[in-house]
Amino acid sequence: MVAALDIQVTKTLKSRFSEIDINHLPFGKYYTDHMLEVDYKDGKWQKVAIRPFQALNMSPGLSAIHYGQSIFEGIKAYKDREGNPFIFRPIDNFRRFNLSAERMEMPVVPEEIFMEGMRRLVELDKDWIPMKNDYSLYIRPFMFSTDETLGVKAADTYKFMILLSPTGPYYSSPLRIYVEEKYTRAARGGFGFAKAAGNYGGSMLATAVAKRQGFDQVLWMDAFEHKYIQEMGTMNVFFVIGDKVLTPDLEDGTILEGVTRDSAIEVLREEGYTVEEGPIHIDDVVRAYEAGELREAFGTGTAATISMIKELRYEEFTIKFDIDGAKAAPTVKRVLTDIREGRRKDTRGWMFKV
Ligand code: COI
């Protein structure tokens, strides 16, 4: 599919694989034996290297640290029931990565570096792909600026890297969500659609306040009226109201165009659900609850996969969901698992063969 890529591969002398318990993996705690690294300088990408996972030696004047030109992606690799490694929809993450790069005035990464580099890295460390239910190999491509001067400007030099992390579920049980009306995540014209490190840094305070009150995540509202639902920071959000599934649209560029969000929409439509993308006012969610029409709420994300919401707190309202009665979210989860494990035909070419 992509041109042969010349990669300088240096293999580790001693694998760390035996140090982990592949059946008990917190999200993002462990890294595999190798990582991919390539620098951008003099206006072009240099030679791609795969080398043993190791620390980077960087200047404290690194521009990414000071001014935040830093973006990333999250992708997952699985093995089917025969043990063949696959990556789920990586081309969609590649496209989104370069949209983030453009928004942050960073160089785009060529397809062969992103796709073939990732394929070669996953192939090398494929023994680290867990085969347990809800487990996977999390792939973290990222890019940051590497200039060492303090002037505020788009940098001239960058580093693109890929790390691999064998991982278990991000959330282990249904979520309690706090509707955030004081702090906001993104406004029209901003960079909410970009997977930029700053979007996550800016979310920490509100999330920590919500966690101190026993919630797992916040649900972000729009920056003007604080009434229109955006996303949850680690996930896009869906509501089942009556016989429809609703999710915020991507029109104003404030939410992330989630690959799992898109997969969920496609799967739900295929399974006969009516899915509508559009503005969702929080008061309409409350009204649907009071009318007995609000059936489910769930989040979608690469890391979080499909995560059920069991409680939503909005001002004085506490909305409780009947997790056991949910149908839409378990349907998406089952269909996606069946596609990944080869029990259901991959009609859309979502599974990229390693
Ligand atoms: C992902 O789902 O891949 C994310 O990036 C969310 C979070 C782990 C940062």
Side-chain angles (χ1 to χ4, degrees), residues 27 72-76 93 96 138-140 170-171 195 200 217 233-235 256 260 300-305:
F27 177 82
F72 68 98
E73 270 303 325
I75 308 173
K76 277 181 173 171
N93 294 88
R96 188 173 68 178
Y138 185 76
I139 305 172
R140 172 54 63 90
Y170 195 88
Y171 298 112
K195 216 158 168 63
Y200 295 81
Q217 266 292 330
T234 53
M235 292 174 288
L256 210 69
T260 312
T300 62
T302 299
T305 62

Side-chain angles (χ1 to χ4, degrees), residues 191-229:
F191 57 99
F193 68 88
K195 216 158 168 63
N199 277 327
Y200 295 81
S203 76
M204 299 297 176
L205 172 62
T207 310
V209 171
K211 281 191 174 163
R212 284 200 279 275
Q213 297 173 63
F215 296 96
D216 298 291
Q217 266 292 330
V218 297
L219 179 58
W220 297 108
M221 299 289 114
D222 74 284
F224 298 105
E225 297 176 58
H226 295 210
K227 291 293 175 198
Y228 287 94
I229 291 167

Side-chain angles (χ1 to χ4, degrees), residues 62-70 104 145 149-153:
L62 195 82
S63 57
I65 300 172
H66 297 271
Y67 304 127
Q69 273 185 299
S70 176
M104 303 303 283
S145 60
T149 53
L150 295 181
V152 181
K153 68 172 191 53

Side-chain angles (χ1 to χ4, degrees), residues 234-292:
T234 53
M235 292 174 288
N236 294 113
V237 67
F238 287 72
F239 295 93
V240 183
I241 296 182
D243 56 2
K244 285 186 185 152
V245 185
L246 309 179
T247 192
D249 61 75
L250 308 167
E251 297 299 310
D252 67 2
T254 55
I255 67 169
L256 210 69
E257 189 173 348
V259 175
T260 312
R261 171 189 180 278
D262 183 72
S263 308
I265 292 172
E266 292 225 15
V267 164
L268 285 167
R269 286 187 176 144
E270 191 173 277
E271 293 293 308
Y273 285 85
T274 302
V275 184
E276 285 181 5
E277 298 173 68
I280 306 175
H281 198 292
I282 184 70
D283 290 349
D284 290 337
V285 174
V286 174
R287 269 195 285 275
Y289 179 62
E290 288 174 337

Side-chain angles (χ1 to χ4, degrees), residues 35-294:
M35 63 186 196
L36 179 140
E37 193 175 341
V38 51
D39 288 313
Y40 180 90
K41 63 176 182 196
D42 303 327
K44 54 180 189 296
W45 289 99
Q46 309 293 310
K47 195 171 169 73
V48 181
I50 288 178
R51 55 174 62 114
F53 180 89
Q54 59 196 270
L56 300 174
N57 185 10
M58 310 246 88
S59 162
L62 195 82
S63 57
I65 300 172
H66 297 271
Y67 304 127
Q69 273 185 299
S70 176
I71 60 171
F72 68 98
E73 270 303 325
I75 308 173
K76 277 181 173 171
Y78 302 85
K79 280 183 181 161
D80 65 14
R81 280 172 306 166
E82 283 76 47
N84 304 306
F86 286 92
I87 305 173
F88 189 71
R89 300 190 69 174
I91 192 76
D92 297 282
N93 294 88
F94 161 68
R95 292 193 185 113
R96 188 173 68 178
F97 188 80
N98 277 342
L99 289 180
S100 302
E102 280 167 9
R103 179 61 183 85
M104 303 303 283
E105 190 56 17
M106 301 165 88
V108 294
V109 173
E111 181 175 335
E112 62 270 26
I113 292 183
F114 192 101
M115 294 292 292
E116 178 62 5
M118 176 169 45
R119 194 195 67 74
R120 291 277 295 278
L121 184 65
V122 172
E123 187 176 43
L124 185 60
D125 282 345
K126 63 178 184 296
D127 290 348
W128 293 74
I129 304 176
M131 280 187 78
K132 190 175 161 177
N133 209 13
D134 286 336
Y135 280 53
S136 60
L137 184 69
Y138 185 76
I139 305 172
R140 172 54 63 90
F142 60 110
M143 171 167 51
F144 56 97
S145 60
T146 52
D147 282 10
E148 298 178 355
T149 53
L150 295 181
V152 181
K153 68 172 191 53
D156 296 319
T157 59
Y158 295 85
K159 194 182 278 294
F160 171 69
M161 299 189 66
I162 305 179
L163 304 179
L164 305 177
S165 176
T167 203
Y170 195 88
Y171 298 112
S172 47
S173 50
L175 307 172
R176 294 184 69 214
I177 300 295
Y178 181 80
V179 176
E180 178 58 61
E181 289 184 283
K182 178 178 175 190
Y183 303 107
T184 58
R185 174 183 176 275
R188 208 179 279 245
F191 57 99
F193 68 88
K195 216 158 168 63
N199 277 327
Y200 295 81
S203 76
M204 299 297 176
L205 172 62
T207 310
V209 171
K211 281 191 174 163
R212 284 200 279 275
Q213 297 173 63
F215 296 96
D216 298 291
Q217 266 292 330
V218 297
L219 179 58
W220 297 108
M221 299 289 114
D222 74 284
F224 298 105
E225 297 176 58
H226 295 210
K227 291 293 175 198
Y228 287 94
I229 291 167
Q230 292 185 335
E231 63 163 66
M232 287 186 282
T234 53
M235 292 174 288
N236 294 113
V237 67
F238 287 72
F239 295 93
V240 183
I241 296 182
D243 56 2
K244 285 186 185 152
V245 185
L246 309 179
T247 192
D249 61 75
L250 308 167
E251 297 299 310
D252 67 2
T254 55
I255 67 169
L256 210 69
E257 189 173 348
V259 175
T260 312
R261 171 189 180 278
D262 183 72
S263 308
I265 292 172
E266 292 225 15
V267 164
L268 285 167
R269 286 187 176 144
E270 191 173 277
E271 293 293 308
Y273 285 85
T274 302
V275 184
E276 285 181 5
E277 298 173 68
I280 306 175
H281 198 292
I282 184 70
D283 290 349
D284 290 337
V285 174
V286 174
R287 269 195 285 275
Y289 179 62
E290 288 174 337
E293 290 277 290
L294 181 60

